[in-house]
Amino acid sequence: MEIVKARTDKREYKRIVLPNALQVLLISDPDTDKCAASMNVSVGSFSDPDGLEGLAHFLEHMLFYASEKYPLEDSYSKYIIEHGGSTNAFTASDHTNYHFDVNNDCFEDALDRFAQFFIKPLMSADATIREIKAVDSENQKNLLSDAWRMDQLQKHLSEEGHPYHKFSTGNWDTLEVQPKEKGLDTRLQLIKLYEENYSANLMNLAVYAKESLDKIQSLVEDKFQEIQNNDRNCFSFPGQPCSSEHLQILVRSVPIKQGHKLRIVWPITPGILHYKEGPCKYIGHLIGHEGEGSLFYVLKTLGWATDLSAGEGDGTTEFSFFVVAINLTDAGHEHMQDVVGLLFKYIHLLQQSGVCKWIFDELAAVCETSFHYQDKTPPISYVVRIASNMKLYPQKDWLVGSSLPSNFSPSIIQTVLDQLSPDNVRIFWESKKFEGQTAMIEPWYKTAYSVEKITGSMIQEWLLFAPNEDLHLPAPNVFIPTDLSLKDAQEKQVKFPVLLRKSSSSSLWYKPDTMFSAPKAYVKIDFNCPFASSSPETEVLTDIFARLLMDDLNDYAYYAQVAGLYYGIFNTDSGFQVTVVGYNHKLRILLDTVIEKISNFKVKPERFSVIKEMVIKEYGNLKFQKPYQQAMYYCSLLLQDQTWPWMEELEILPHLQAEDLAKFIPLMLSRAFLECYIAGNIERSEAESMILHIEDVFNKGPDPICQPLFPSQHLTSRVIKLERGINYLYPIEGLNPNDENSALVHYIQVHRDDFTWNVKLQLLALIAKQPAFHQLRTVEQLGYITVLMQRNDSGIRGLQFIIQSTVKGPGQIDLRVEAFLKMFETKLYEMTNDEFKSNVNALIDMKLEKHKNLREESAFFWREISDGTLKFDRRECEVAALKQLTQQDLIDFFDEHVKVGAPRKRTLSVRVYGKLHSCEYPSDKSQQLPPNAVQIEDIFSFRRSQPLYGSFKGGFGHMKL
């Protein structure tokens, strides 16, 4: 039977079923640089035995450890990472998905190791206890996350007998303490869950490789035939999780972060049952629309909402929910009943106006174009999606899923629309203002909440008294592309961006599409405005300006977004940036509108107040960032010269007025240099004409908006140069006193961008990544977040360990990092020549990996332009450098820059102390330091006292035409 695939898809597909009933989709792609596989098992957290919450999730963790065939702990992950790959898994309610990708030449071995998860895993007693700690640490990091808290609250308010009600993650209590009290052995329960449920007939496998279908088939048959088939039935849980007592309720809850949010939720018929008719797509498209006359447009005009989304939420084939989520302003919070009334008014309008064929046809056309011209994605994400689809859809729709609504059925859409009634609504309303007004506590995340019954007649009353605004259906979408032809680019040989033109006002880099044959383009215009970042105040004003622009364009540009044409305007360290990406056919119309809006911008005081309120909350909420994110933030603030702390910006914000911004905008734009990058299905002449038009708007005329920059004004981003042989420490208490986690960023600064040095650093990071994870996370169980990665600040490169923990304080973690480096030193010295070569080859393969799509390619080239390094052939040059590298070169590099106590080593440890370790902070801060250690007391005094690395962005004249 055929499988529906995109017109532009050149891959080959074949479905096979092994004798053990394992269903497999084989995907052959001769062009791929990576192979991938994903196994989807139809067993998830709903299958957790009572009193063992989180067991399915814990099982997912345990399968990674070891198997009978490969008994060495973590050898699977080690093999994958050393061969240029990555691996992960996730547990959902009714399935668990395992996946990996790896360089082509190692696929067979990787697949063999992967298959053993499902054949004979070793779940040793020793590993069991250690990994329960990892599950507990994973849960710890979620306890102060509003998304996790609200999700669990919705589950809590449902039928206790329904699996939806459960706590799915698991923690130390549910997996160790409680089972012991009941006389249960968690490990035996784990093995039982695995043996009874991990049956081949409940598994779907997607395999993506370079080889022919026949070759992949024989590989799969050989590796996976031994999986047991116990002929299990899928775990079934018929019925909705909400009975009448859980409907018609208004739930007030207290979030961690500032802000007010409304979630209006209805149980509905699962969309999957009617995926060809797409009822939720149709309804979500209309309720979530942002054009004129839409619900959001009206709420925004009233100053009540800053964000709205609508669509199908959590669900399975048995039950589902439709969710409308609205971020409210302070004024919107006071008008909650009016907001809900307006929502029901709009739903009533949809019910009354009947299902419109033209709207369905337009939506179907957009979906069809989007499917047939979809960007190629990394194989790993592709197989995860398909393996998940194989459980849900008939074979012909495995690639399509529910992305192509094609059967127009007014009655099915109407049925779901009728389910969005006041009689079965659940309203979740969260705000800090409810502190002290709630009587109940959700048991797992300790969220404070209260529940109140609301009747259908109360909501009818809200509907009647809601403001009488002009709600109406959207207009036909003029942005839907109709010309999807490919330009006949003469430059088929152009590998790298070329500097097409340069003036005193702008430079234009151009790169035609020679790779992807897609009717899409990418345009980025970077406004370098020295006045935009001269102080914390100007930086905040630039941020508000960029947000107001987006806000003002929204009801017009939303149509473009629906049609697959996206735009963004964001502030940067040196001004602001406009990006437009998507189908090229109507891109110019959108770009010109954005440029027009910037040049004529008028500040509307009422919108200024709304955006200012939003920015104040956003900046204020930064104190609730996870401790490891705080540590990374301080690290950047310490290293990057001329950057302003958000604390200072938050101090300024309340005092800013609309007139301050109105005065600031002409000043900010008065001096600017535009760095432009245009790529994709666009001809040279079109690219030039876009920039000429922009220069006309900003630089021409008797009273131009912008003047060129003086040579002295070109901005550079420069990085602090740490002193050799010194360990810098920056200890600080976590900003959220309730967060138990502490964190460490241990940064080792190495060098300024240089091909030979880069590859030594990259190779070292590749070799050390897995041993670091294994030692610090798997063996020592310091915490769920344990990462070793490279760091690149404007071309200044180094290594960083990022660890978040409740087990040890930051000072102790720092000692564990040093102990790991000593242990790794031995491993590095003892490495065989074959192992060294294997790692070099893996890194070469990773570097030669082709870009998958235009966005990916553009991001790579744009980084070179924005850093000023302009090494467009970086990958080829680094591969050449790698081929020259010897094992001794790598050891010398390690000894000189990374080894503990190395004389030239430059280290910065940022230590964030959480609630559990706050008692260690004063003693750590006042301890006697060794002679080579320096404690940083004040970030800005430190920055001012340090030398800087030279910038690659030499400003005016740094590019020769």
Side-chain angles (χ1 to χ4, degrees):
M1 191 166 154
E2 54 130 17
I3 292 175
V4 176
K5 66 177 194 173
R7 280 182 216 124
T8 50
D9 188 352
K10 297 183 173 63
R11 294 167 286 212
E12 291 187 315
Y13 300 87
K14 182 182 181 183
R15 170 190 179 252
I16 59 168
V17 180
L18 301 192
N20 59 0
L22 173 69
Q23 182 167 240
V24 189
L25 182 67
L26 313 170
I27 307 164
S28 166
D29 177 3
D31 292 333
T32 190
D33 297 303
K34 277 229 163 74
C35 297
S38 170
M39 177 73 90
N40 205 71
V41 186
S42 298
V43 179
S45 54
F46 281 5
S47 303
D48 287 343
D50 287 336
L52 272 163
E53 282 91 350
L55 194 68
H57 175 224
F58 179 42
L59 174 59
E60 170 227 301
H61 276 240
M62 286 301 293
L63 292 194
F64 278 78
Y65 263 84
S67 60
E68 273 188 23
K69 187 171 180 182
Y70 299 101
L72 195 64
E73 206 175 85
D74 257 8
S75 64
Y76 162 75
S77 304
K78 181 175 187 288
Y79 185 85
I80 298 286
I81 285 165
E82 282 181 355
H83 294 90
S86 60
T87 173
N88 214 332
F90 62 84
T91 306
S93 55
D94 59 352
H95 64 276
T96 305
N97 189 292
Y98 302 83
H99 45 275
F100 76 90
D101 66 357
V102 75
N103 290 341
N104 283 328
D105 55 348
C106 321
F107 190 49
E108 182 168 355
D109 276 356
L111 204 60
D112 193 50
R113 286 168 160 79
F114 181 67
Q116 297 304 313
F117 283 19
F118 314 102
I119 297 169
K120 285 216 168 138
L122 285 183
M123 300 189 234
S124 71
D126 169 47
T128 302
I129 280 295
R130 274 187 284 131
E131 205 54 29
I132 289 175
K133 289 178 180 168
V135 170
D136 187 64
S137 173
E138 184 175 354
N139 179 57
Q140 284 277 355
K141 86 173 168 53
N142 301 335
L143 289 178
L144 296 179
S145 154
D146 283 329
W148 283 90
R149 293 162 71 87
M150 296 309 154
D151 188 49
Q152 192 62 45
L153 183 57
Q154 291 181 54
K155 293 176 172 188
H156 182 63
L157 297 169
S158 67
E159 282 293 323
E160 280 191 30
H162 196 286
Y164 176 72
H165 182 81
K166 292 177 178 176
F167 165 59
S168 60
T169 317
N171 60 20
W172 182 254
D173 207 36
T174 68
L175 294 170
E176 175 62 17
V177 181
Q178 290 176 21
K180 269 212 170 101
E181 286 169 0
K182 295 176 189 157
L184 289 173
D185 182 324
T186 302
R187 181 168 167 264
L188 294 179
Q189 294 294 321
L190 190 73
I191 292 167
K192 183 178 175 211
L193 179 73
Y194 178 83
E195 287 179 346
E196 287 183 3
N197 296 289
Y198 269 52
S199 172
N201 71 309
L202 294 185
M203 298 183 185
N204 290 294
L205 175 67
V207 179
Y208 193 114
K210 199 179 179 72
E211 278 76 25
S212 67
L213 289 172
D214 290 347
K215 178 82 197 298
I216 308 170
Q217 180 169 342
S218 68
L219 205 58
V220 167
E221 287 168 345
D222 175 45
K223 306 294 179 202
F224 292 89
Q225 60 184 350
E226 286 175 51
I227 299 176
Q228 287 290 315
N229 178 12
N230 308 326
D231 207 21
R232 295 290 294 182
N233 287 328
C234 259
F235 180 72
S236 175
F237 30 89
Q240 286 283 357
C242 299
S243 61
S244 56
E245 67 173 294
H246 309 115
L247 302 173
Q248 291 196 330
I249 54 172
L250 171 61
V251 182
R252 291 177 172 84
S253 67
V254 183
I256 299 293
K257 292 185 172 181
Q258 293 289 344
H260 323 283
K261 193 162 202 169
L262 260 183
R263 275 188 190 81
I264 302 98
V265 182
W266 296 265
I268 54 158
T269 308
I272 186 78
L273 303 179
H274 301 293
Y275 71 95
K276 286 287 188 209
E277 290 76 18
C280 293
K281 256 197 167 51
Y282 177 92
I283 297 165
H285 167 66
L286 292 174
I287 297 178
H289 209 283
E290 297 181 15
E292 199 184 326
S294 66
L295 172 64
F296 178 68
Y297 180 81
V298 165
L299 292 174
K300 188 178 119 171
T301 308
L302 291 163
W304 292 351
T306 56
D307 197 31
L308 183 150
S309 63
E312 194 170 9
D314 262 5
T316 64
T317 51
E318 306 280 348
F319 73 89
S320 190
F321 295 101
F322 191 90
V323 184
V324 177
I326 308 172
N327 283 344
L328 300 173
T329 60
D330 292 347
H333 177 73
E334 300 303 322
H335 285 274
M336 185 280 289
Q337 296 180 356
D338 289 328
V339 173
V340 175
L342 281 164
L343 167 61
F344 275 103
K345 228 178 209 180
Y346 193 78
I347 291 169
H348 185 66
L349 165 80
L350 297 184
Q351 287 164 337
Q352 292 311 103
S353 50
V355 180
C356 298
K357 186 165 191 313
W358 76 264
I359 292 178
F360 181 86
D361 289 346
E362 192 178 84
L363 193 60
V366 166
C367 290
E368 191 175 358
T369 305
S370 163
F371 175 73
H372 285 296
Y373 294 96
Q374 60 187 292
D375 284 346
K376 211 172 179 184
T377 54
I380 191 166
S381 40
Y382 196 60
V383 289
V384 168
R385 197 180 85 223
I386 292 170
S388 307
N389 282 353
M390 288 166 75
K391 170 187 184 308
L392 298 170
Y393 300 95
Q395 179 191 325
K396 71 173 176 37
D397 291 329
W398 282 352
L399 310 184
V400 171
S402 54
S403 66
L404 279 184
S406 53
N407 301 346
F408 179 59
S409 170
S411 58
I412 287 174
I413 295 174
Q414 198 66 46
T415 304
V416 177
L417 203 45
D418 292 341
Q419 291 173 342
L420 309 188
S421 83
D423 302 331
N424 65 341
V425 74
R426 291 153 57 87
I427 300 175
F428 293 84
W429 185 14
E430 57 189 90
S431 171
K432 283 276 206 202
K433 293 206 169 166
F434 299 139
E435 258 168 350
Q437 302 172 26
T438 53
M440 289 178 263
I441 298 283
E442 187 280 314
W444 298 108
Y445 291 81
K446 306 291 182 263
T447 306
Y449 75 98
S450 66
V451 181
E452 176 191 331
K453 267 297 198 188
I454 44 171
T455 60
S457 56
M458 277 166 80
I459 292 179
Q460 286 300 340
E461 208 167 290
W462 297 355
L463 192 152
L464 284 172
F465 288 108
N468 200 8
E469 296 290 330
D470 179 23
L471 290 163
H472 58 78
L473 295 176
N477 192 339
V478 297
F479 279 104
I480 294 176
T482 49
D483 177 4
L484 296 160
S485 61
L486 298 180
K487 304 280 159 93
D488 183 23
Q490 274 80 53
E491 299 99 339
K492 281 296 175 210
Q493 305 319 309
V494 177
K495 267 186 89 173
F496 304 123
V498 289
L499 185 58
L500 207 53
R501 72 183 290 277
K502 184 163 191 317
S503 68
S504 57
S505 318
S506 73
S507 62
L508 165 60
W509 293 93
Y510 168 69
K511 166 74 177 65
D513 175 15
T514 55
M515 288 278 291
F516 312 111
S517 304
K520 297 180 181 181
Y522 183 102
V523 175
K524 194 181 277 289
I525 296 162
D526 195 38
F527 285 77
N528 285 287
C529 309
F531 294 121
S533 54
S534 57
S535 69
E537 190 170 6
T538 60
E539 185 150 277
V540 173
L541 286 167
T542 308
D543 186 9
I544 294 176
F545 166 68
R547 291 171 192 247
L548 276 171
L549 274 170
M550 292 276 286
D551 181 72
D552 208 15
L553 282 158
N554 190 58
D555 44 291
Y556 168 81
Y558 184 76
Y559 285 96
Q561 233 167 300
V562 168
L565 189 52
Y566 304 92
Y567 78 108
I569 304 165
F570 300 102
N571 69 317
T572 63
D573 288 343
S574 57
F576 64 97
Q577 216 171 66
V578 175
T579 311
V580 186
V581 56
Y583 300 113
N584 57 275
H585 181 201
K586 309 209 171 161
L587 182 142
R588 179 73 190 260
I589 304 168
L590 181 60
L591 179 66
D592 287 356
T593 308
V594 172
I595 294 302
E596 189 61 29
K597 184 66 79 180
I598 295 170
S599 65
N600 289 322
F601 192 68
K602 299 283 177 284
V603 180
K604 297 174 185 161
E606 73 286 359
R607 292 315 295 161
F608 176 87
S609 307
V610 169
I611 298 292
K612 173 180 151 181
E613 178 195 309
M614 188 166 103
V615 174
I616 288 176
K617 283 180 194 153
E618 235 175 79
Y619 283 31
N621 282 332
L622 289 170
K623 66 174 175 285
F624 300 114
Q625 279 190 317
K626 294 187 172 77
Y628 82 91
Q629 293 169 318
Q630 292 178 34
M632 289 170 75
Y633 168 74
Y634 290 125
C635 192
S636 295
L637 200 57
L638 281 155
L639 291 172
Q640 291 163 3
D641 191 42
Q642 291 297 314
T643 48
W644 313 112
W646 63 262
M647 296 80 158
E648 289 179 5
E649 298 180 336
L650 186 58
E651 211 176 296
I652 288 158
L653 263 162
H655 311 291
L656 295 176
Q657 301 301 327
E659 49 269 28
D660 296 322
L661 183 62
K663 281 184 203 145
F664 169 69
I665 293 169
L667 173 70
M668 173 182 70
L669 291 173
S670 67
R671 295 270 170 197
F673 182 80
L674 273 52
E675 189 103 64
C676 313
Y677 176 77
I678 299 182
N681 192 34
I682 278 191
E683 286 167 352
R684 249 169 207 262
S685 54
E686 285 179 274
E688 283 195 67
S689 108
M690 281 181 192
I691 300 312
L692 285 167
H693 171 69
I694 295 171
E695 282 196 6
D696 282 349
V697 171
F698 287 103
N699 301 88
K700 298 283 191 295
D703 190 11
I705 300 167
C706 295
Q707 299 278 354
L709 298 189
F710 288 113
S712 60
Q713 283 182 300
H714 281 265
L715 295 166
T716 55
S717 31
R718 298 186 67 181
V719 176
I720 301 298
K721 189 174 193 173
L722 301 176
E723 207 172 316
R724 285 178 179 167
I726 304 285
N727 291 339
Y728 294 95
L729 306 177
Y730 182 65
I732 190 160
E733 289 183 284
L735 293 167
N736 178 2
N738 299 320
D739 200 324
E740 298 189 334
N741 293 281
S742 290
L744 168 80
V745 169
H746 181 102
Y747 167 66
I748 302 166
Q749 192 177 64
V750 183
H751 67 286
R752 189 170 180 264
D753 188 49
D754 167 279
F755 295 142
T756 307
W757 286 74
N758 294 353
V759 296
K760 290 177 189 174
L761 183 69
Q762 289 157 4
L763 188 60
L764 189 69
L766 177 68
I767 295 169
K769 184 178 175 179
Q770 180 54 28
F773 182 85
H774 177 67
Q775 182 59 32
L776 301 172
R777 151 95 192 258
T778 309
V779 177
E780 298 186 26
Q781 284 298 335
L782 291 179
Y784 181 74
I785 293 170
T786 304
V787 184
L788 166 62
M789 62 189 289
Q790 297 169 64
R791 185 182 173 105
N792 178 5
D793 300 272
S794 305
I796 309 307
R797 293 166 179 257
L799 277 176
Q800 58 183 355
F801 290 83
I802 303 165
I803 299 171
Q804 181 170 293
S805 178
T806 51
V807 183
K808 283 188 169 21
Q812 291 297 308
I813 305 172
D814 223 345
L815 294 174
R816 298 317 307 146
V817 168
E818 300 231 311
F820 163 74
L821 284 171
K822 284 178 181 156
M823 195 180 82
F824 177 72
E825 189 180 323
T826 317
K827 276 193 173 167
L828 186 66
Y829 295 166
E830 291 170 356
M831 179 187 260
T832 66
N833 192 34
D834 283 352
E835 280 178 291
F836 173 76
K837 279 188 177 148
S838 161
N839 279 294
V840 168
N841 291 335
L843 188 54
I844 288 174
D845 285 349
M846 287 159 80
K847 289 199 166 300
L848 294 176
E849 204 178 313
K850 296 186 283 288
H851 297 299
K852 307 279 172 302
N853 52 56
L854 182 63
R855 274 179 191 243
E856 206 180 281
E857 180 191 77
S858 299
F860 177 83
F861 289 136
W862 178 254
R863 176 87 198 243
E864 294 294 332
I865 294 167
S866 67
D867 279 353
T869 38
L870 302 181
K871 294 171 181 169
F872 299 126
D873 58 350
R874 174 176 301 281
R875 301 195 304 181
E876 294 80 351
C877 293
E878 289 186 347
V879 165
L882 260 173
K883 287 177 176 170
Q884 302 298 313
L885 199 65
T886 67
Q887 197 165 342
Q888 193 55 49
D889 291 338
L890 187 67
I891 289 170
D892 294 345
F893 175 80
F894 177 82
D895 287 351
E896 198 172 325
H897 298 281
V898 181
K899 180 178 170 169
V900 176
R904 297 168 68 98
K905 187 173 179 180
R906 320 166 200 262
T907 313
L908 168 63
S909 286
V910 178
R911 303 171 172 184
V912 174
Y913 291 77
K915 184 179 173 182
L916 291 181
H917 309 107
S918 54
C919 55
E920 296 171 21
Y921 174 69
S923 56
D924 280 8
K925 203 169 160 50
S926 56
Q927 69 180 353
Q928 187 67 43
L929 294 175
N932 67 333
V934 172
Q935 188 162 292
I936 299 168
E937 302 296 337
D938 173 74
I939 290 179
F940 306 103
S941 307
F942 167 74
R943 271 193 348 197
R944 284 190 286 270
S945 68
Q946 293 301 115
L948 298 172
Y949 276 102
S951 167
F952 284 99
K953 244 182 157 34
F956 195 73
H958 82 294
M959 302 170 296
K960 297 281 182 280
L961 262 172

